[in-house]
Amino acid sequence: MARRKKEEPTVHRQAIANAAHELFSSKGIENTSMNEIAKLAGYSKATLYVYFADKEQLVSYLVLRSMNTLYEIISAQMQNKDKSIEERFFSLCIALYNYQQQYPFYFALTQKEIRVVGDLCDFTGEEKECYEVGKKINAVIYEYLKEGKEKKIFKQDLKDFSTVFALWAMISGIISITANKRNYIELSSQESIDTFLNYSFSLVYKSLLT
């Protein structure tokens, strides 16, 4: 216990969050208690509440983790000027698919509802950070779309926010339904899942073209 007192609060929050991730992934958020999280993390329940006020705040912390990873993936692919506009799009799709395969729970968190309030002061600390990361993600994709327009590759009348949001909905939707209905897709299409994904992502990309 003395060693724990000397560690930074971030270390404890991460340890607790790791335990929560494991339990949420296997049992679901609703079916997991704070007591179970404390036990798996090796903390008392009282100590757990020192670092997270409730389960909602703990979930928000994990959402922030997933959003930061999402930003890293999107910025790495969209800002890679060594690749063409088209190559960057498909690299992003594959990177997001791989992320979902490796961390399905975190990928699902990126699709959670965004709480909207009139004043950022009403946000919790994690919600404010998620909001800011979301703005950074949008900015990266805005710049990608702008570049595509300037090069006369993309349609000139694409709306910034609506296009960004629609792209995320289509790409994440394809990835999610592939994960949930993989066997059905392969059996019905008589094609590999990679072929299905490539075809589906191609449809999305073509919707941007002039």
Side-chain angles (χ1 to χ4, degrees):
M1 186 61 68
R3 179 184 61 83
R4 283 188 169 176
K5 289 181 179 179
K6 295 178 181 178
E7 291 173 338
E8 292 293 326
T10 302
V11 174
H12 301 297
R13 285 170 66 84
Q14 289 178 349
I16 294 166
N18 289 341
H21 170 229
E22 183 176 337
L23 289 168
F24 291 161
S25 297
S26 61
K27 298 182 60 176
I29 295 173
E30 295 299 324
N31 296 323
T32 300
S33 69
M34 292 291 273
N35 194 49
E36 290 174 310
I37 295 170
K39 184 177 179 180
L40 182 60
Y43 293 81
S44 68
K45 192 173 181 180
T47 301
L48 184 71
Y49 283 114
V50 170
Y51 299 103
F52 292 99
D54 49 35
K55 188 160 62 173
E56 183 178 347
Q57 186 184 23
L58 186 45
V59 171
S60 293
Y61 184 84
L62 292 176
V63 171
L64 178 59
R65 264 192 185 182
S66 67
M67 289 292 288
N68 279 322
T69 301
L70 187 64
Y71 170 71
E72 291 170 5
I73 291 171
I74 291 175
S75 59
Q77 302 304 325
M78 295 283 94
Q79 295 178 333
N80 185 354
K81 296 302 179 69
D82 291 331
K83 293 184 177 181
S84 68
I85 289 286
E86 181 175 358
E87 288 171 334
R88 276 180 264 167
F89 178 85
F90 285 98
S91 292
L92 173 64
C93 292
I94 297 304
L96 290 173
Y97 174 72
N98 290 336
Y99 177 42
Q100 190 282 330
Q101 291 292 291
Q102 188 172 5
Y103 302 106
F105 177 76
Y106 280 135
F107 185 83
L109 286 182
T110 65
Q111 300 179 67
K112 282 182 65 66
E113 180 182 3
I114 300 172
R115 191 168 75 92
V116 177
V117 294
D119 189 339
L120 282 179
C121 292
D122 294 330
F123 280 14
T124 65
E126 289 79 12
E127 286 175 331
K128 286 181 183 179
E129 290 185 68
C130 281
Y131 183 82
E132 293 303 323
V133 175
K135 286 171 61 178
K136 288 166 60 179
I137 290 172
N138 288 344
V140 169
I141 303 177
Y142 289 156
E143 285 303 309
Y144 170 76
L145 293 173
K146 179 181 177 183
E147 182 183 348
K149 288 181 183 181
E150 290 173 348
K151 292 181 176 179
K152 310 298 183 184
I153 296 172
F154 293 157
K155 296 171 183 174
Q156 298 300 302
D157 61 350
L158 293 176
K159 299 177 181 178
D160 287 344
F161 175 79
S162 296
T163 303
V164 169
F165 210 77
L167 281 175
W168 171 246
M170 288 186 281
I171 294 171
S172 65
I174 290 168
I175 292 171
S176 295
I177 201 167
T178 299
N180 294 329
K181 298 182 180 291
R182 183 187 189 99
N183 292 336
Y184 175 78
I185 291 169
E186 289 183 321
L187 180 63
S188 299
S189 67
Q190 294 295 296
E191 295 178 333
S192 70
I193 208 67
D194 288 341
T195 299
F196 170 78
L197 285 169
N198 186 62
Y199 176 77
S200 301
F201 293 146
S202 293
L203 288 178
V204 177
Y205 182 71
K206 288 175 182 176
S207 71
L208 302 172
L209 302 180
T210 56

